[in-house]
Amino acid sequence: MKVLANDGISKAGENALKEAGIEILDNRVAQDHVINFINDNNVDVLLVRSVTKVRQELIDACPGLKIIGRGGIGMDNIDVEYAKSKGIKVINTPTASSKSVAELVFGHFISLARFLHESNRLMPLEGDTHFSAMKKSFSNAYELSGKTLGVIGFGSIGQEVLKIGIALGMKVTVLTRSPKTEVLTLNFFNGQSVNFEITSTNDMDAFLKDADFISINTPKTNEYIIDTPQFEKMKDGVYIVNTARGGVINEVTLIDFIESGKVAGAALDVFENEPSPELPLLMNPALSLSPHVGGNTVDAQEKIGIELAEQIIKLQKETIR
């Protein structure tokens, strides 16, 4: 079996595949040449992340493909159902990067609440001349403890965000299409654990009215989850972080509500016009920004590689039987 990890795979995942006798090709093939490379090299497994697109055209043109794997949770760059209809197995790693994304959410929340994103920009420029003025302007900061964390989405990432919020002493609320209950377990360094039973709500108005900090953790949507009507129902001075997908929040409207003071600050790890975010977003001092790096930690990549390898090895064994 030959594997093309076209968007990369961790060393641990690569080693696991090699130990199982599976050949892994370390090429990085441009999108326009992927079809020819797969066919010319008799590739059985195509592994991608967010760069390589696996659409119907590629699937039809590569009849030898047996497995398509996505390193991560989102599958919007793969025509999943079509691939399955052609007898191709489609795998992903829905929980491997959840902790990494959740930690980035709070990196942004704390950065916004303490003006770290702005002070990091200004200190190199004005720290020696306007130190006292900046100290005064950045003193109107907030603790997260005791505030209400609202999470949109109750999947593996949303649950990890909630766990961190609980650990910080925040009140938590969750918004989903239909109410559901999950038990979240917080595990501590000394072996102790605490369970929290959390029930989500589908009452968006009440959710938006209560939340001081809002984290969006949903799959890709066809329309905005957060637009003018939703902004208008939020608390004054709310903080928002989007690590989900570009297009779940109206970025133009977000800027309007930041300028009006309704939104105290927001963070974007994903963008509607990715990989070329709009300049007004990049230049706005009330925004904390990162270049779609939610799951990009060494830890997450190790987990993703190992999980993909384990699934491929299992499918290979099932095929041999």
Side-chain angles (χ1 to χ4, degrees), residues 15 23 102 119-120 135 141 170 183 203 205 234 261 289 304 310:
N15 290 339
E23 182 180 354
S119 63
N120 279 328
K135 180 177 179 179
M170 302 182 80
V183 176
D203 186 342
D205 289 357
M234 294 179 187
L289 305 172
I304 286 170
E310 289 174 346

Side-chain angles (χ1 to χ4, degrees), residues 76-312:
D76 42 283
N77 59 323
I78 302 172
D79 288 341
V80 175
E81 295 307 318
Y82 188 77
K84 289 180 178 178
S85 75
K86 295 294 183 178
I88 299 173
K89 299 288 186 181
V90 182
I91 60 176
N92 69 336
T93 57
T95 63
S97 60
S98 298
K99 289 182 185 293
S100 291
V101 178
E103 289 184 7
L104 181 69
V105 169
F106 278 90
H108 278 302
F109 274 145
I110 293 170
S111 181
L112 290 166
R114 298 303 302 269
F115 302 104
L116 297 180
H117 64 298
E118 193 171 358
S119 63
N120 279 328
R121 291 171 181 162
L122 294 178
M123 279 295 288
L125 300 174
E126 303 179 19
D128 59 338
T129 56
H130 295 84
F131 189 94
S132 296
M134 283 192 287
K135 180 177 179 179
K136 183 177 181 180
S137 66
F138 296 151
S139 64
N140 191 29
Y142 291 96
E143 295 180 354
L144 274 66
S145 177
K147 306 301 188 301
T148 297
L149 168 67
V151 177
I152 302 177
F154 213 178
S156 60
I157 295 174
Q159 291 183 28
E160 292 299 330
V161 172
L162 288 163
K163 289 178 185 180
I164 296 175
I166 292 169
L168 288 172
M170 302 182 80
K171 304 168 188 174
V172 299
T173 179
V174 191
L175 179 70
T176 51
R177 288 192 181 92
S178 301
K180 58 186 293 190
T181 299
E182 298 283 357
V183 176
L184 307 183
T185 302
L186 273 68
N187 296 307
F188 298 95
F189 70 98
N190 59 359
Q192 295 188 64
S193 62
V194 181
N195 292 334
F196 292 84
E197 185 175 279
I198 307 292
T199 300
S200 67
T201 179
N202 61 353
D203 186 342
M204 178 171 275
D205 289 357
F207 172 87
L208 295 173
K209 181 175 176 290
D210 290 341
D212 300 295
F213 293 81
I214 296 175
S215 177
I216 307 173
N217 302 107
T218 64
K220 185 177 176 62
T221 58
N222 294 322
E223 57 187 20
Y224 297 126
I225 295 174
I226 302 294
D227 205 344
T228 298
Q230 290 74 42
F231 281 116
E232 290 175 341
K233 291 167 183 172
M234 294 179 187
K235 279 185 177 181
D236 290 343
V238 68
Y239 294 94
I240 305 169
V241 172
N242 179 24
T243 57
R245 286 288 186 271
V248 301
I249 186 169
N250 187 328
E251 294 172 352
V252 174
T253 307
L254 171 63
I255 296 295
D256 292 339
F257 280 91
I258 286 174
E259 291 177 351
S260 75
K262 166 66 76 171
V263 177
L268 301 174
D269 183 53
V270 289
F271 303 85
E272 289 189 71
N273 191 27
E274 202 171 305
S276 302
E278 301 296 337
L279 191 60
L281 296 172
L282 300 178
M283 300 301 291
N284 194 295
L287 285 172
S288 179
L289 305 172
S290 52
H292 202 155
V293 294
N296 287 2
T297 63
V298 172
D299 310 84
Q301 296 312 306
E302 288 290 291
K303 294 174 191 174
I304 286 170
I306 291 169
E307 285 188 24
L308 285 174
E310 289 174 346
Q311 292 181 69
I312 292 167

Side-chain angles (χ1 to χ4, degrees), residues 23-63:
E23 182 180 354
I24 182 161
L25 307 175
D26 59 1
N27 304 73
R28 301 291 182 271
V29 185
Q31 184 74 52
D32 293 344
H33 301 291
V34 171
I35 290 173
N36 288 337
F37 187 91
I38 289 172
N39 292 330
D40 292 345
N41 293 275
N42 299 315
V43 171
D44 303 287
V45 183
L46 173 61
L47 301 182
V48 302
R49 291 210 65 201
S50 58
V51 176
T52 305
K53 307 295 186 288
V54 189
R55 300 302 179 200
Q56 181 175 333
E57 177 189 3
L58 185 152
I59 294 166
D60 285 338
C62 301

